[in-house]
Amino acid sequence: MSPLLSTLPREVLFHILRNVDCQSSLAGACRVCSALHDEAERALYDRVQVDSLASPLERLHYALTEAPQRALYSQSFTVVDIDYLADAVCELQGILPMLVNLRHLKLELAFLRPDQLWVHNVICTLSDCTFSLQSCEVLMNLDDHASRFLRQQHNIESIAIVSVEHTAGWQVPADTLLRLKYLRASYRLVMSIFHTPHMFTHLGLTDTSVGRDELQEVLLVYRHQLVGLKYARDMICAASAMLAPWEALSLAAMPNLKYLEVFDRLSDMVSS
């Protein structure tokens, strides 16, 4: 290692390594340079992303079990589109409780399968975890376990709610998500799962297309608090194609709105 690097404070060295976007380079630094090892390992496990197959979850579980201090470094954990999650759900359930310092969690999982038992198992595990999240995007069944999980997360400022099953009458507990600023959810969930309007300021509707009536219903409830609004419209669907951005602004007065994002999509039925 360069003599200059050896004189840098550990925090400065960590922030330099944290900006290395190649995981293999960080892993190599852990193995070949004893002077860099601690900070390189800290940077390697600071933001963990696993994608596509079950085997990376198995390797991650082994690495954290072999050296538990690695789990203490993790601030952000993302699992993307695990088509074979059922083969590694035990590893995922083993990993989550170890990440006690986690602040950002995203489980973007493939869920179009008839057996949703693993979804239940994961949310049960989350409800027993001790980390305190600031942001969360998790596929969940909206039931008592989801309520328990949300009650434990006092510091969430950003959440994306993706529902597999919605227990009839289930609502977000009134004493939860009190710091929420950014909400992403479908029109149906936004209008049905809150006892009273939460004071989030940024709303993203996740429906593939939002019609005039649905958008107006949401805005009439939340118009006074919204600083940012995002929705999609299908340019082939007459009900939403007519809803231009300026029309959305005319549906309800939003005195605090500063950001409006409209995503235009073409129906998959359009012929080439």
Side-chain angles (χ1 to χ4, degrees):
M1 181 173 70
S2 166
L4 179 61
L5 284 178
S6 64
T7 64
L8 292 175
R10 293 170 64 90
E11 281 301 312
V12 173
L13 191 57
F14 167 69
H15 283 292
I16 292 173
L17 291 168
R18 193 172 184 267
N19 285 287
V20 175
D21 57 5
C22 178
Q23 296 294 92
S24 60
S25 296
L26 288 172
C30 293
R31 291 191 295 267
V32 304
C33 181
S34 59
L36 284 178
H37 177 274
D38 290 349
E39 299 312 314
E41 186 168 77
R42 181 182 168 195
L44 179 64
Y45 288 95
D46 178 64
R47 291 173 291 189
V48 177
Q49 177 165 326
V50 179
D51 53 26
S52 75
L53 295 174
S55 55
L57 275 176
E58 295 169 353
R59 292 198 296 269
L60 177 63
H61 183 262
Y62 175 80
L64 298 182
T65 303
E66 182 184 44
Q69 76 277 4
R70 293 168 175 163
L72 303 180
Y73 299 143
S74 294
Q75 298 282 314
S76 174
F77 182 49
T78 300
V79 181
V80 179
D81 197 23
I82 301 297
D83 293 323
Y84 305 102
L85 181 66
D87 298 327
V89 68
C90 290
E91 284 77 11
L92 181 60
Q93 289 180 270
I95 289 168
L96 289 169
M98 289 191 281
L99 308 179
V100 296
N101 294 319
L102 197 66
R103 295 294 177 264
H104 308 283
L105 175 64
K106 181 178 181 179
L107 301 180
E108 186 178 309
L109 309 173
F111 61 92
L112 296 178
R113 52 178 80 235
D115 181 7
Q116 303 297 339
L117 179 61
W118 61 264
V119 178
H120 172 77
N121 291 341
V122 169
I123 196 63
C124 287
T125 299
L126 287 174
S127 67
D128 291 327
C129 290
T130 59
F131 47 63
S132 179
L133 298 175
Q134 294 176 3
S135 69
C136 177
E137 181 173 343
V138 178
L139 181 73
M140 65 176 72
N141 294 332
L142 299 181
D143 55 19
D144 290 342
H145 292 287
S147 297
R148 182 181 174 190
F149 168 63
L150 293 176
R151 280 198 172 95
Q152 294 180 179
Q153 299 302 321
H154 304 293
N155 295 316
I156 286 183
E157 296 181 356
S158 174
I159 192 169
I161 300 178
V162 185
S163 170
V164 178
E165 293 182 1
H166 184 181
T167 300
W170 186 90
Q171 293 182 313
V172 172
D175 57 347
T176 63
L177 301 180
L178 300 181
R179 297 188 179 185
L180 186 64
K181 296 179 181 177
Y182 302 88
L183 172 65
R184 290 180 57 235
S186 68
Y187 152 78
R188 178 179 63 87
L189 288 180
V190 171
M191 298 306 296
S192 65
I193 66 175
F194 291 106
H195 288 278
T196 56
H198 272 51
M199 291 309 295
F200 55 80
T201 55
H202 294 71
L203 173 63
L205 295 174
T206 58
D207 308 81
T208 56
S209 185
V210 178
R212 177 192 299 271
D213 293 343
E214 290 85 357
L215 185 58
Q216 185 172 43
E217 185 178 357
V218 171
L219 294 182
L220 288 176
V221 176
Y222 296 103
R223 64 190 184 90
H224 290 292
Q225 67 198 61
L226 289 182
V227 174
L229 173 65
K230 179 179 179 179
Y231 68 92
R233 59 179 185 163
D234 189 332
M235 297 305 291
I236 304 303
C237 175
S240 62
M242 296 297 292
L243 193 61
W246 64 265
E247 279 191 288
L249 295 175
S250 70
L251 293 177
M254 292 176 279
N256 297 309
L257 191 72
K258 295 181 180 179
Y259 309 100
L260 174 63
E261 183 176 350
V262 181
F263 176 68
D264 290 335
R265 64 182 294 274
L266 294 176
S267 172
D268 295 336
M269 298 181 65
V270 178
S271 59
S272 56

